């Protein structure tokens, strides 16, 4: 295979499942499920997150996500959005497993309504219980390398540090910590939350992350489907740039052409 073809074969694996797309999108805040489906198509994703407490999966009298986003085509990743205690998160994911047979899940336990920052003590406790119960747990967490290591030691199958607060669109606020987490982790690391535009997604990938998860950045764009397509290309470009290895930063100019032998 030529070097030009390497990106086509570049995949990542979580909990024994292998995916080609490194972009994951959510299923909230869209105008309707149809627009959500169009965004998923444009983004080329293979995984979509599903807020179990908010998304209609079963009531046939109302529009259902599954009527638009086919669970046979996409891997559904149930999450605990809106949970503020470990107990609520555990209950939510147990119900998800009973309802849909899902074992690969995304855990998030939030601290307060204003910041939606993860409560890491509750998150760690919930992770330990879920792992014991046989769940494969991808964990939304702070960008703290120490807690990231503790989550991995507790059995998390993926670490998902925030780039910035949920829905803020501020981009990667602490690239140093994200990079430290990536360098230390033995499981996939995905930036989750804070992405606002395509360049933010590219930055996350250039830091060496295995993927990026986003919802608001696409759903609240003026043209969500076009933004979804932009995010697809940004993730691919950022990953290629990381694999290529960027040039070193220099304090002074370095001419592209030799200065010797000038006419």
């Amino acid at each position: 295979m030529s070097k030009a073809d390497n990106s086509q074969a570049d995949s990542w694996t979580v909990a024994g499942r292998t995916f080609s797309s490194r972009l994951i999108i959510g299923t909230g805040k869209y105008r309707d499920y149809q627009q959500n489906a169009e965004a998923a198509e444009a983004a080329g994703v293979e995984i979509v997150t599903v807020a179990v407490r908010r998304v209609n999966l079963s009531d046939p009298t109302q529009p259902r996500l599954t009527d638009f986003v086919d669970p046979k085509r996409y891997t559904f990743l149930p999450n605990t959005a809106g949970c503020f205690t470990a107990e609520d998160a555990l209950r939510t994911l147990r119900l998800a497993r009973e309802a849909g047979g899902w074992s690969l899940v995304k855990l998030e336990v939030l601290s307060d309504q204003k910041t939606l920052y993860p409560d890491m003590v509750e998150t760690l406790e919930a992770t330990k219980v879920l792992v014991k119960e046989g769940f494969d747990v991808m964990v939304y967490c702070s960008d703290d390398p120490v807690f990231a290591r503790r989550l991995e030691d507790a059995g998390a199958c993926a670490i998902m540090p925030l780039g910035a607060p949920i829905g803020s669109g501020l981009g990667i606020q602490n690239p140093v910590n994200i990079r430290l987490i990536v360098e230390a982790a033995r499981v996939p690391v995905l930036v989750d939350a804070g992405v606002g535009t395509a360049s933010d997604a590219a930055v996350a990938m250039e830091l060496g992350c295995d993927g990026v998860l986003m919802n608001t950045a696409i759903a609240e764009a003026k043209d969500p489907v076009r933004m979804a397509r932009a995010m697809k290309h940004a993730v691919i470009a950022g990953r290629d740039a990381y694999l290529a290895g960027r040039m070193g930063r220099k304090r002074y100019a370095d001419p592209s052409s030799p200065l010797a032998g000038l006419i």
Side-chain angles (χ1 to χ4, degrees):
M1 179 181 293
S2 69
K3 290 184 179 180
D5 293 330
N6 284 346
S7 62
Q8 300 301 317
D10 184 43
S11 60
W12 66 290
T13 300
V14 59
R17 308 179 193 205
T18 300
F19 301 95
S20 298
S21 172
R22 293 174 179 274
L23 175 60
I24 302 173
I25 70 169
T27 51
K29 298 187 177 181
Y30 288 91
R31 181 187 65 220
D32 50 37
Y33 289 144
Q34 178 61 42
Q35 186 182 66
N36 198 162
E38 291 171 2
E41 175 74 29
V45 299
E46 297 167 287
I47 305 175
V48 295
T49 62
V50 178
V52 178
R53 303 180 73 184
R54 297 172 178 164
V55 173
N56 178 31
L57 296 170
S58 58
D59 184 357
T61 66
Q62 300 293 327
R64 291 179 297 188
L65 175 67
T66 50
D67 294 332
F68 297 87
V69 179
D70 186 356
K72 294 180 180 178
R73 176 180 178 185
Y74 298 97
T75 295
F76 277 29
L77 182 65
N79 70 38
T80 57
C83 291
F84 290 85
T85 66
E87 182 180 352
D88 282 348
L90 293 171
R91 184 184 308 112
T92 299
L93 292 179
R94 287 165 181 157
L95 289 172
R97 182 160 62 179
E98 286 185 19
W102 293 298
S103 60
L104 180 64
V105 297
K106 178 196 163 191
L107 171 68
E108 58 181 76
V109 183
L110 306 176
S111 58
D112 62 86
Q113 289 280 0
K114 182 177 181 180
T115 68
L116 299 181
Y117 205 76
D119 183 324
M120 293 311 302
V121 174
E122 293 284 295
T123 296
L124 182 58
E125 291 307 307
T127 299
K128 293 176 180 177
V129 174
L130 289 168
V131 169
K132 287 181 180 178
E133 294 183 4
F135 286 92
D136 296 313
V137 192
M138 301 174 69
V139 187
Y140 167 67
C141 60
S142 63
D143 57 4
D144 180 342
V146 175
F147 258 114
R149 185 175 65 248
R150 289 181 178 175
L151 289 170
E152 186 174 345
D153 291 343
C157 67
I159 306 299
M160 308 180 76
L162 54 79
I166 291 173
S168 67
L170 290 172
I172 311 300
Q173 294 296 295
N174 198 340
V176 173
N177 275 18
I178 298 292
R179 182 66 183 175
L180 289 173
I181 291 171
V182 168
E183 290 177 354
R186 302 180 302 275
V187 298
V189 176
L190 300 89
V191 161
D192 179 7
V195 169
T197 190
S199 56
D200 300 329
V203 168
M205 299 307 298
E206 288 170 3
L207 290 170
C209 292
D210 295 276
V212 183
L213 190 154
M214 65 186 70
N215 185 71
T216 308
I218 296 176
E220 291 194 353
K222 292 181 179 178
D223 185 338
V225 176
R226 172 166 274 185
M227 183 61 81
R229 187 164 57 248
M231 292 298 188
K232 171 185 176 180
H233 294 303
V235 168
I236 292 171
R239 177 65 178 173
D240 273 349
Y242 170 72
L243 293 176
R246 67 158 288 148
M247 63 169 283
R249 290 180 169 88
K250 304 173 184 178
R251 293 182 62 191
Y252 302 104
D254 184 6
S256 299
S257 302
L259 294 177
L262 296 179
I263 296 175

